[in-house]
Amino acid sequence: MKVLVIGSGGREHALVWKLRQSPRVSRVYCAPGNGGISREAECVPADQKSVESIVAIAQQLQPDVTIVGPELPLQLGVVDEFTRRGWPIFGPTKAAVQLESSKSFAKLFMQRHRIPTAHYAICNSMGEVKQALSRFGTPVVVKADGLAAGKGVVLCKNKDEAAAAAGEMLSGKMVGEAGTRVVIEECLKGDELSFLVLSDGERVAPLAAAQDHKRVGDGDTGPNTGGMGAYSFPGLLDEQMTHWLLQHVARPVIEGMKAEGMEYKGILYCGLMMTARGPMVLEFNCRFGDPETQPILMRLESDLLEAIEASIEGRVSDGDFRWSQDASVCVVMSSGGYPGTIEVGKKITGTEEADKIEGVRVFHAGTSTRDGAYYTAGGRVLGVTARAETLDAAVSRAYEAVGKIQFDGAHYRKDIAARALTK
């Protein structure tokens, strides 16, 4: 089979890597891909902001199945267009993607279907923001309504900060059009958890759970990012809690979407806060997470392609995934200045040495190639991922590999999975 993966980040590199392990896959294309992906798949130039560009590539390559990595092509309706043409594609429709593309839609949907989430207010103006803030304590969270690449969430210590953040969003200065509406939300306390399920529109099958690290600095300090690292291990989520999350979060979403005429197929990512009041939904993503995909796929022992086909063809079952009992850890190496202003074009060395360490895989995110060498080409550059029998051993392997890699301005957190190890 020929498989086309849409995207250019670390998540897409992990997908390409895992798909190539399927005995049924003969060829993998990636549009547009990146420097590291080009070593494992045929990269094809593409404009991810254009459904027409992606359609033209599919017409040329004629893949047997297409897998969409990032959120933007989904929001633009690439699944709808492929489905209209009768081309197999993995992911939800434009209507279903509102769960991710609009925070206000997601909050109202959860309220309608009694899915646990934080108290909130939807605001379209500064007048509404000030009125809403009078009903919240502090700290308080301000979220841009639309897609903001993981950077549209601001945790504010006081109401002056919250008003300033909301003003920056509503003016378009912070995240552009994504902030033309904002959601004010109570600040929940607890451990974050990424709970992903595969859906065919009716049935769901859980993936291995993971925990992300959103803040740029050690100790969860600094601004939010797309994710600075993640880990996964068998004890992260027990069977009883998995069942609860399926019954009270995942299945109500899938059933609710179908009841409202927006059948949901693909990956549903439930970003949760495990609070003293119980699990609460922070956000939904309508695709594999990044960087959670990297450690999750490192633990996957079954055929990813077969699970994807089950979603497309309407035959998802509990047996779609088999997981290793090992732990896995991903440490993101980013460009200096990320998530703010960055410089690209810095030469990267040491990735080959890092890949030689047992259980390690270096997934490329923002890289390009020139004259046989890798160069930085984005904010998040690499996802150095390791698997081992214990979480402690996986962390050690990941940081040993990070130590082999160098580029000017490289930044990474030194405490990925530290909280879990302390517990």
Side-chain angles (χ1 to χ4, degrees):
M1 289 184 67
K2 295 190 294 184
V3 179
L4 171 62
V5 176
I6 305 299
S8 60
R11 162 186 49 221
E12 288 74 39
H13 193 176
L15 288 168
V16 164
W17 169 77
K18 196 65 190 180
L19 288 163
R20 288 189 68 227
Q21 297 173 21
S22 171
R24 295 173 53 225
V25 172
S26 57
R27 198 163 189 176
V28 180
Y29 301 98
C30 191
N34 62 40
I37 294 175
S38 68
R39 302 289 176 93
E40 301 192 57
E42 184 177 330
C43 291
V44 183
D47 179 2
Q48 297 179 73
K49 299 177 182 178
S50 167
V51 171
E52 292 76 16
S53 173
I54 297 170
V55 165
I57 288 165
Q59 282 179 322
Q60 175 191 345
L61 301 177
Q62 297 189 341
D64 295 293
V65 64
T66 299
I67 298 156
V68 186
E71 59 272 27
L72 185 56
L74 294 171
Q75 184 195 19
L76 294 174
V78 69
V79 169
D80 307 67
E81 184 59 27
F82 273 52
T83 302
R84 186 181 70 80
R85 293 167 178 263
W87 300 346
I89 186 167
F90 178 71
T93 63
K94 182 176 182 177
V97 171
Q98 289 180 93
L99 281 173
E100 177 172 5
S101 64
S102 173
K103 296 284 194 301
S104 57
F105 174 90
K107 297 298 276 192
L108 292 166
F109 176 88
M110 285 186 274
Q111 186 173 332
R112 288 196 298 275
H113 296 279
R114 299 182 180 182
I115 295 165
T117 189
H119 298 305
Y120 70 97
I122 298 167
C123 304
N124 296 287
S125 68
M126 283 306 298
E128 292 179 2
V129 167
K130 290 175 182 176
Q131 188 176 21
L133 286 173
S134 69
R135 303 194 300 271
F136 285 83
T138 55
V140 65
V141 182
V142 180
K143 296 183 176 181
D145 184 62
L147 297 176
K151 301 164 196 170
V153 178
V154 182
L155 175 60
C156 304
K157 295 191 290 287
N158 55 58
K159 292 183 181 181
D160 287 341
E161 281 187 17
E168 287 275 296
M169 290 181 187
L170 288 169
S171 69
K173 293 178 182 177
M174 184 180 291
V175 289
E177 291 184 5
T180 52
R181 176 184 294 149
V182 299
V183 175
I184 309 294
E185 198 170 272
E186 70 168 314
C187 182
L188 298 174
K189 295 182 179 180
D191 288 335
E192 288 196 40
L193 184 78
S194 301
F195 180 67
L196 286 71
V197 299
L198 177 76
S199 174
D200 61 7
E202 290 188 13
R203 292 161 289 274
V204 297
L207 281 73
Q211 191 164 52
D212 189 13
H213 296 66
K214 288 288 187 189
R215 300 294 194 93
V216 73
D218 290 351
D220 291 326
T221 57
N224 270 347
T225 70
M228 292 302 296
Y231 62 91
S232 177
F233 66 98
L236 186 56
L237 196 62
D238 63 32
E239 189 174 331
Q240 184 177 358
M241 182 54 73
T242 299
H243 178 75
W244 193 96
L245 291 172
L246 287 171
Q247 291 298 109
H248 295 277
V249 179
R251 288 195 178 105
V253 171
I254 301 306
E255 291 166 3
M257 292 298 281
K258 185 172 183 179
E260 295 189 15
M262 296 173 284
E263 185 180 59
Y264 192 104
K265 289 188 172 187
I267 292 290
L268 175 68
Y269 169 121
C270 308
L272 306 167
M273 184 71 82
M274 310 302 280
T275 77
R277 285 150 50 192
M280 298 277 184
V281 176
L282 295 173
E283 64 175 357
F284 292 118
N285 292 335
C286 297
R287 33 74 191 186
F288 284 102
D290 191 346
E292 294 96 334
T293 300
Q294 291 86 308
I296 287 174
L297 293 187
M298 284 286 276
R299 290 186 56 213
L300 180 62
E301 296 196 329
S302 51
D303 192 320
L304 177 61
L305 177 64
E306 291 185 2
I308 286 169
E309 287 182 315
S311 170
I312 295 171
E313 296 169 8
R315 49 180 179 82
V316 165
S317 70
D318 289 338
D320 284 329
F321 298 107
R322 295 192 311 278
W323 302 101
S324 164
Q325 291 302 298
D326 286 353
S328 53
V329 176
C330 173
V331 178
V332 170
M333 299 184 73
S334 69
S335 296
Y338 176 78
T341 304
I342 62 167
E343 293 183 3
V344 298
K346 309 298 184 182
K347 188 174 182 178
I348 305 167
T349 61
T351 55
E352 292 82 1
E353 289 78 5
D355 267 326
K356 290 176 183 176
I357 297 172
E358 182 184 358
V360 168
R361 184 74 197 181
V362 179
F363 294 113
H364 289 235
T367 69
S368 60
T369 54
R370 189 168 71 248
D371 301 326
Y374 293 120
Y375 292 84
T376 65
R380 291 187 293 175
V381 178
L382 302 168
V384 182
T385 309
R387 173 176 154 175
E389 288 187 4
T390 66
L391 183 61
D392 189 31
V395 168
S396 296
R397 281 182 178 175
Y399 280 108
E400 180 188 353
V402 166
K404 304 282 187 185
I405 300 169
Q406 292 185 326
F407 56 88
D408 186 31
H411 167 75
Y412 60 92
R413 282 184 58 163
K414 300 172 181 63
D415 64 344
I416 302 301
R419 189 183 301 171
L421 291 174
T422 301
K423 288 182 178 179

